[in-house]
């Protein structure tokens, strides 16, 4: 999170290069200060946003504080037990929900569409970074994801439109991807470079 360091947004590619990350994707939408996550977000030693967004029903917990709990979890915040379980994780980030933990999509059909970056968790507890430059409506994208043999248990929206980013620099793969189209904001496919973003989820190679 940029606010925990020098406050300077970076592209996903720059986050990978400077932090030696194998993969980086948006952590979530952010406020006008270009630093604060739209939903709650904290990590050990730093609180990015102390407030919980009432409309955001999904949160990812990382960095288990006890060996008896899974390394990561994606919580449905309208389930009290799930929110309690989040206290067992050092890093917690709240975002808009796409798929609740029952494996059911929660977005209704709509005309708005955008390039999408999302984070999901599968039934074995593995984290998936998902990116689509093609601008789906969220109902369409959810249907596509659930039709694939990915075993997705839950998923959250982390960004849409030109800011949506995914960089992969591992296993012989070098990709720096960015979105473009977003209804009502950037209705074209002209954006060809990543935009700087303040916060990312990242992973280092083992």
């Amino acid at each position: 999170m940029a606010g925990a360091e020098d406050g300077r947004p970076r592209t996903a590619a720059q986050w990978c290069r400077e932090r030696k990350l194998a993969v980086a994707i948006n952590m979530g939408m952010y406020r006008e200060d270009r630093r604060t996550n739209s939903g709650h977000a904290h990590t050990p030693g730093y609180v990015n946003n102390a407030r919980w967004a009432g409309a955001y029903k999904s949160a990812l917990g990382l960095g288990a504080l006890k060996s008896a709990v899974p390394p990561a979890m994606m919580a449905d915040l309208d389930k009290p037990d799930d929110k309690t379980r989040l206290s067992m994780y050092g890093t917690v980030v709240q975002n808009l929900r796409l798929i609740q933990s029952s494996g059911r999509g929660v977005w209704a059909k709509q005309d708005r569409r955008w390039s999408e970056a999302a984070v999901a968790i599968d039934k074995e507890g593995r984290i998936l970074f998902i990116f689509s430059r093609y601008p789906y409506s969220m109902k369409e994208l959810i249907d596509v994801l659930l039709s694939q043999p990915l075993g997705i248990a839950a998923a959250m929206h982390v960004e849409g439109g030109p800011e949506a980013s995914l960089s992969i620099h591992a296993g012989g793969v070098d990709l720096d991807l960015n979105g473009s189209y977003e209804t009502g904001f950037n209705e074209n496919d002209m954006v060809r470079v990543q935009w700087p973003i303040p916060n990312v989820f990242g992973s280092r190679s083992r």
Side-chain angles (χ1 to χ4, degrees), residues 38 40 116 174 196:
S38 296
H40 176 86
E116 173 70 3
D174 288 292

Side-chain angles (χ1 to χ4, degrees), residues 42 52 59-66 68-77 79-92 101-102 121-123 125 153-154:
H42 74 259
W52 292 86
L60 181 64
L62 300 169
L65 301 176
K66 298 180 180 180
V69 300
M73 72 165 290
M74 191 167 288
D76 288 319
L77 296 177
K79 296 180 180 178
D81 289 349
D82 270 17
K83 193 164 184 179
T84 299
R85 288 168 58 204
L86 284 174
S87 65
M88 295 184 285
Y89 292 86
T91 296
V92 175
S101 58
S102 63
I121 192 166
D122 72 8
K123 294 174 183 177

Side-chain angles (χ1 to χ4, degrees), residues 90-193:
T91 296
V92 175
V93 178
Q94 181 193 27
N95 281 303
L96 277 169
R97 183 167 57 187
L98 293 178
I99 300 171
Q100 63 185 25
S101 58
S102 63
R104 184 176 68 87
V106 297
W107 284 61
K109 187 176 180 179
Q110 62 173 20
D111 293 329
R112 295 186 65 214
R113 56 187 63 239
W114 49 77
S115 303
E116 173 70 3
V119 173
I121 192 166
D122 72 8
K123 294 174 183 177
E124 297 185 27
R126 295 174 295 197
I127 301 297
L128 309 177
F129 290 172
I130 296 165
F131 176 86
S132 174
R133 182 177 173 89
Y134 182 84
Y136 288 101
S137 72
M138 289 302 94
K139 174 67 166 60
E140 292 172 332
L141 180 63
I142 289 166
D143 289 346
V144 169
L145 293 176
L146 292 178
S147 72
Q148 302 302 310
L150 298 172
I152 291 176
M156 59 166 55
H157 166 84
V158 293
E159 190 56 275
E163 296 99 330
S165 304
L166 175 66
S167 285
I168 306 171
H169 296 282
V173 177
D174 288 292
L175 285 174
D176 294 309
L177 306 174
N178 66 275
S180 183
Y181 190 97
E182 181 177 348
T183 299
F185 175 57
N186 188 69
E187 297 185 351
N188 63 67
D189 193 43
M190 302 293 290
V191 179
R192 295 294 172 185
V193 296

